[in-house]
Amino acid sequence: MANSDVGKLRRGPWLGEEDDILTTIVGALGEKHWDALAKESGLRRSGKSCRLRWMNYLRPNLKHGEITHEEEHIILDLHKQWGNKWSKIAKRLPGRTDNEIKNYWRSHLKKRAEAHQECFQDADKSSHQEFSTPRCEKSHDYIIGESSSMNQKDGILFGASSSTETLEPSNMNAFGNCSPYENRISDWLSSCCWLVEGLKHEEDCMGTYPGFCQLGSSSEEEKTHGVWDLWNPV
DNA sequence: AATAGAGCCAACCGCCACTAA
DNA sequence: GTTAGTGGCGGTTGGCTCTAT
């Protein structure tokens, strides 16, 4: 792009009128050739800017509400697996954008995840001394949410077996047990659950975890809490 | 009521990968 | 094989809002 054109391009927040124009032109021309589309529209925006606005805000079926606890858990889980692969994570959260997830991570989850990691390391150290179940408020926050109004039971996303009901809340998380072994089992289960989801969309993990299919036959009660709802809408 | 600081989020920037010429 | 154009991605920024003092 010529430098003389740069000065002519608008920047900053989009106006409603611009949104309308972009929506119309994308409807007519499709989601491609953004530079041409930008020129065609008459908007003084770059193709990149148009694409971003469309992808992050105007695209149909986008959710604009708050991130739910289930989604939050998914983000935490997938970030643990994949790191900052926001677009990849976003593909597992229909209606959410990579930008939204990235922002949510940075503003809501990063500190909690770091605190959890810190706790995990502490717990790891103590596990070398004795196999105890340390209390871990940090980890609990990481899973349940610092300001969550959700009760303990609702915090259980999956893995809600009858045995968990007998645990002391202070020692429990949905994965809230801070025993390193229990944490790892929970982490593994969590990973497996995502592989189940992955198999619906991708071929890359086919056959990797032969044991997980059983999770798909969890009880109706379990399905009513957490991410099962996302997989198996009732 | 005023102000500073923190938090949040939309938008931008730069880089990389892919594709067509 | 090379190059230019394009789209996608992750990191960063800037401005607005909220909250504490």
Side-chain angles (χ1 to χ4, degrees):
Chain A
M1 181 184 303
N3 284 340
S4 58
D5 287 336
V6 174
K8 295 177 186 174
L9 294 176
R10 259 184 58 77
R11 294 181 58 181
W14 281 66
L15 305 173
E17 189 185 343
E18 291 178 303
D19 284 345
D20 292 342
I21 293 170
L22 182 59
T23 303
T24 304
I25 199 80
V26 172
L29 302 179
E31 299 178 28
K32 52 188 177 183
H33 306 306
W34 289 102
D35 275 356
L37 186 147
K39 284 175 188 140
E40 185 71 21
S41 69
L43 291 166
R44 284 158 46 220
R45 298 276 185 176
S46 69
K48 250 184 175 183
S49 180
C50 290
R51 178 189 162 271
L52 201 67
R53 182 63 178 171
W54 175 259
M55 291 297 185
N56 288 342
Y57 195 80
L58 299 174
R59 195 157 40 111
N61 304 322
L62 283 181
K63 293 179 192 170
H64 294 291
E66 278 187 24
I67 302 273
T68 66
H69 292 292
E70 287 79 10
E71 288 173 320
E72 182 178 307
H73 184 84
I74 291 164
I75 294 167
L76 285 164
D77 224 28
L78 294 181
H79 185 270
K80 193 159 60 179
Q81 285 181 250
W82 296 334
N84 297 356
K85 299 296 177 188
W86 305 116
S87 61
K88 196 172 175 182
I89 294 170
K91 287 187 174 79
R92 299 294 172 84
L93 291 166
R96 301 294 184 185
T97 68
D98 55 351
N99 206 34
E100 190 176 14
I101 292 168
K102 178 170 57 181
N103 283 334
Y104 190 79
W105 169 262
R106 293 183 71 86
S107 56
H108 291 88
L109 302 179
K110 194 176 180 183
K111 286 178 187 171
R112 270 192 266 158
E114 284 169 356
H116 173 76
Q117 180 67 23
E118 195 180 309
C119 168
F120 187 74
Q121 285 167 354
D122 290 348
D124 232 14
K125 283 179 193 168
S126 68
S127 73
H128 290 303
Q129 296 164 355
E130 55 180 305
F131 183 36
S132 61
T133 303
R135 284 183 65 124
C136 181
E137 301 301 336
K138 286 176 183 172
S139 179
H140 185 259
D141 287 347
Y142 165 66
I143 297 299
I144 303 297
E146 286 167 330
S147 57
S148 172
S149 59
M150 184 168 58
N151 64 32
Q152 295 283 350
K153 190 176 178 183
D154 287 342
I156 301 168
L157 296 172
F158 39 73
S161 69
S162 58
S163 64
T164 60
E165 315 228 305
T166 63
L167 293 171
E168 287 294 318
S170 62
N171 287 339
M172 179 181 74
N173 55 32
F175 316 142
N177 277 311
C178 226
S179 154
Y181 289 92
E182 286 164 305
N183 265 336
R184 282 168 180 162
I185 289 167
S186 296
D187 288 344
W188 180 82
L189 281 171
S190 163
S191 300
C192 290
C193 288
W194 284 107
L195 284 165
V196 173
E197 166 71 345
L199 288 173
K200 290 181 180 176
H201 304 290
E202 295 181 1
E203 297 174 2
D204 55 3
C205 6
M206 190 66 78
T208 309
Y209 288 84
F212 60 66
C213 291
Q214 205 164 0
L215 290 168
S217 61
S218 67
S219 70
E220 286 305 310
E221 186 187 359
E222 285 169 346
K223 288 179 185 177
T224 61
H225 295 286
V227 296
W228 288 112
D229 293 343
L230 299 176
W231 304 346
N232 302 311
V234 180

